[in-house]
Amino acid sequence: MIELVFILGGILSIIHYFSEKYSPKVEKFHDELVSFSSGLFITLLFTFFLPEFVDGKEFIGNNIYWLLVLGFVTFHVTEKYIYQHVKNKDKMIKDLSEVHAFGFFIDHFVVGMALVFAFQTSSILFGFAVFLALVIHTMTSSISLTHIDNYFKQNKVVNIFLSLAPIGGVIFASLLSPEKSLYYIIFSLVIGALIYVGVRDLIPSKDEGRVSYFAFGFFISIITAILINFLAA
């Protein structure tokens, strides 16, 4: 099964690496894709990632909640510090781009971990359902990243590094599965950062996006989960 997860993680890495090539072709559907993807991803976050996070209380106790908050606060403080203390506009844009790129790496690192968890459940159908949701999420977040700054479009080393995030998550989850305490410590920090990234960057703000597509993504996730649970029963 782990071989299958590595293959699927590789597909997600390839989707990101070539995002600059397919971005112009799907750009006109950007708002719809982002809204649909955020509906899928937020539902996935609260119905899949957070229950996995809560399971970690058995191994590291109530400290797990402090670690979650620490991950969230660390990412927020880093971004806020740049806004308030970097006066040079060009340097601010570059620094913020790096912070958001780091957020992208964290996001897709957890995506790789999610693949491992999804295929460890009793239903392989659930694993493929999660994978399809992550494909759409990877496409939209990769397209959004190309809008941040030309630096990331022109620097192939950085692009390759970011593309390897899903594979890194797969390897990490596979290696640390036996060492539960360390695994949940790092997973809690990552989930805290991911909640911030999800609320701050993935959900369209103000009058951007399409509410109907966001709701559609939410309902698709719920219906898929119900069908999988029914088939697995």
Side-chain angles (χ1 to χ4, degrees):
M1 188 65 71
I2 192 62
E3 292 83 1
L4 174 61
V5 177
F6 267 102
I7 291 172
L8 297 179
I11 292 174
L12 294 178
S13 294
I14 291 171
I15 289 174
H16 167 68
Y17 185 79
F18 291 103
S19 60
E20 189 177 348
K21 295 185 181 297
Y22 64 74
S23 177
K25 298 179 181 179
V26 299
E27 187 67 34
K28 59 182 178 180
F29 303 111
H30 184 255
D31 285 348
E32 290 83 357
L33 281 172
V34 168
S35 298
F36 181 70
S37 171
S38 59
L40 284 174
F41 189 76
I42 293 301
T43 306
L44 191 67
L45 179 63
F46 283 97
T47 61
F48 182 67
F49 289 142
L50 285 185
E52 174 68 22
F53 157 77
V54 173
D55 287 344
K57 185 177 178 181
E58 177 184 348
F59 299 94
I60 57 179
N62 289 327
N63 290 328
I64 195 170
Y65 299 107
W66 290 107
L67 293 169
L68 178 75
V69 175
L70 180 61
F72 185 99
V73 169
T74 299
F75 204 88
H76 171 70
V77 169
T78 302
E79 183 179 60
K80 189 63 67 175
Y81 177 86
I82 293 172
Y83 272 118
Q84 295 182 349
H85 293 83
V86 179
K87 303 303 180 182
N88 183 287
K89 185 176 180 179
D90 291 337
K91 187 176 188 303
M92 178 186 292
I93 292 174
K94 183 177 184 298
D95 288 348
L96 285 173
S97 297
E98 291 173 351
V99 169
H100 286 282
F102 176 72
F104 174 93
F105 183 87
I106 291 294
D107 175 8
H108 290 265
F109 188 85
V110 174
V111 160
M113 295 172 66
L115 282 177
V116 177
F117 299 142
F119 282 93
Q120 286 177 345
T121 63
S122 58
S123 173
I124 192 171
L125 291 176
F126 178 75
F128 280 107
V130 170
F131 170 70
L132 292 176
L134 296 178
V135 166
I136 298 174
H137 171 65
T138 299
M139 288 179 62
T140 54
S141 59
S142 296
I143 293 171
S144 297
L145 188 68
T146 63
H147 292 171
I148 292 178
D149 190 58
N150 286 330
Y151 174 75
F152 296 107
K153 290 187 286 187
Q154 296 172 355
N155 193 317
K156 290 188 176 182
V157 174
V158 173
N159 192 30
I160 292 173
F161 176 74
L162 294 176
S163 299
L164 291 175
I167 292 294
V170 169
I171 295 173
F172 175 80
S174 300
L175 293 178
L176 288 186
S177 290
E179 185 55 49
K180 293 295 185 181
S181 296
L182 178 59
Y183 166 78
Y184 278 109
I185 287 173
I186 299 177
F187 185 74
S188 301
L189 292 168
V190 169
I191 288 298
L194 189 57
I195 291 175
Y196 181 84
V197 171
V199 174
R200 175 70 172 80
D201 294 329
L202 300 182
I203 298 178
S205 61
K206 298 180 180 178
D207 60 343
E208 298 176 351
R210 302 290 182 88
V211 175
S212 58
Y213 282 84
F214 179 88
F216 184 55
F218 165 74
F219 284 117
I220 287 293
S221 296
I222 296 299
I223 292 172
T224 302
I226 292 173
L227 287 175
I228 289 173
N229 288 333
F230 175 77
L231 293 173

